[in-house]
Amino acid sequence: MNKITFPVRLFFTKTGRAKYISALDLIKCFQRAIRRTDLPIWHTQGFNPHTYVNVNLPLSLGTEGYCESMDLKLNEEVAFDAVAEKLNAVLPADIRITKAAVPVKKHTEIEKSVYKIVTDCDIQKLQEFFGREQIITEKKTKKGIAEIDIKPYIEVSDYGEGEFTLVLPSGCDFTINPSLVFDAYEKLTGDKIETLKIQRMRILCKDGKDFE
């Protein structure tokens, strides 16, 4: 007979030095943190049981995240505020749980990521670059390296002094990382980017609403 488990979705920020923690190391970090609490965590079954945690949409190395999420399961019901408090007490300072809640949507519903970009690039040159009819670059696929036109997948808005908003596809079906866009910018314009800060601010689902 299967034991009843209680799913919990953690929403957290990953900033500062933590932006250089890979997705795999992030999972290990959470697993270690959980072991330092008294949370009744559920473990996977089989020959090699381990603390179950699952990152819903891994963040690219070097990118800060303000809407990241991870799923876990508990063997007993625990108040969500208590889960967040216990984990924040043992997690690194640059990883903060902002909310714990019941999972609402499946990770397969994720479609886009919204990024805030801070850069020293000339805004006029950026607008000209994003206004091109095509932006051809190389992208790694399951079949190897292929040339693709990423222009149709890029949404840009809110140009300001040294910053703007960039929306790109994310999820199981197709993903474009901001680094691919800026690699293409350097190759096609010949300009070297000295300052580039990427922050993921929102994760959107196919219905246009935030992932929750």
Side-chain angles (χ1 to χ4, degrees), residues 28-97:
K28 292 178 180 177
C29 174
F30 268 89
Q31 289 174 330
R32 287 194 297 267
I34 290 168
R35 287 197 291 269
R36 295 174 62 191
T37 71
D38 59 357
L39 290 172
I41 193 71
W42 179 81
H43 291 77
T44 60
Q45 308 299 304
F47 294 105
N48 184 31
H50 59 271
T51 304
Y52 171 78
V53 292
N54 181 65
V55 179
N56 289 302
L57 187 63
L59 195 62
S60 298
L61 209 62
T63 299
E64 292 188 324
Y66 289 85
C67 57
E68 305 313 296
S69 65
M70 176 178 288
D71 292 344
L72 53 81
K73 295 178 182 178
L74 301 178
N75 288 318
E76 301 171 17
E77 192 169 11
V78 178
F80 291 126
D81 287 346
V83 173
E85 183 179 346
K86 289 176 184 290
L87 284 172
N88 277 333
V90 295
L91 281 166
D94 292 335
I95 299 176
R96 295 289 86 190
I97 306 294

Side-chain angles (χ1 to χ4, degrees), residues 106-168:
K106 298 178 180 178
H107 76 279
T108 52
E109 296 180 60
I110 293 173
E111 185 175 59
K112 297 178 180 179
S113 289
V114 180
Y115 300 93
K116 177 183 177 182
I117 308 296
V118 179
T119 180
D120 62 351
C121 294
D122 183 283
I123 293 299
Q124 185 175 347
K125 286 186 177 180
L126 276 169
Q127 290 177 315
E128 291 173 357
F129 171 74
F130 289 125
R132 292 182 175 212
E133 291 186 5
Q134 290 184 318
I135 301 177
I136 305 296
T137 189
E138 293 183 340
K139 186 181 188 303
K140 186 177 181 180
T141 68
K142 294 179 180 179
K143 297 181 179 179
I145 303 297
E147 280 196 346
I148 65 166
D149 178 13
I150 60 175
K151 163 71 176 181
Y153 305 105
I154 299 174
E155 301 173 44
V156 190
S157 62
D158 302 328
Y159 284 106
E161 187 64 37
E163 63 180 55
F164 61 95
T165 297
L166 181 65
V167 182
L168 297 172

Side-chain angles (χ1 to χ4, degrees), residues 194-206:
E194 299 295 340
T195 302
L196 181 61
K197 187 175 184 179
I198 303 172
Q199 301 171 319
R200 183 155 69 187
M201 309 304 295
R202 297 174 66 191
I203 294 175
L204 303 179
C205 293
K206 295 175 182 177

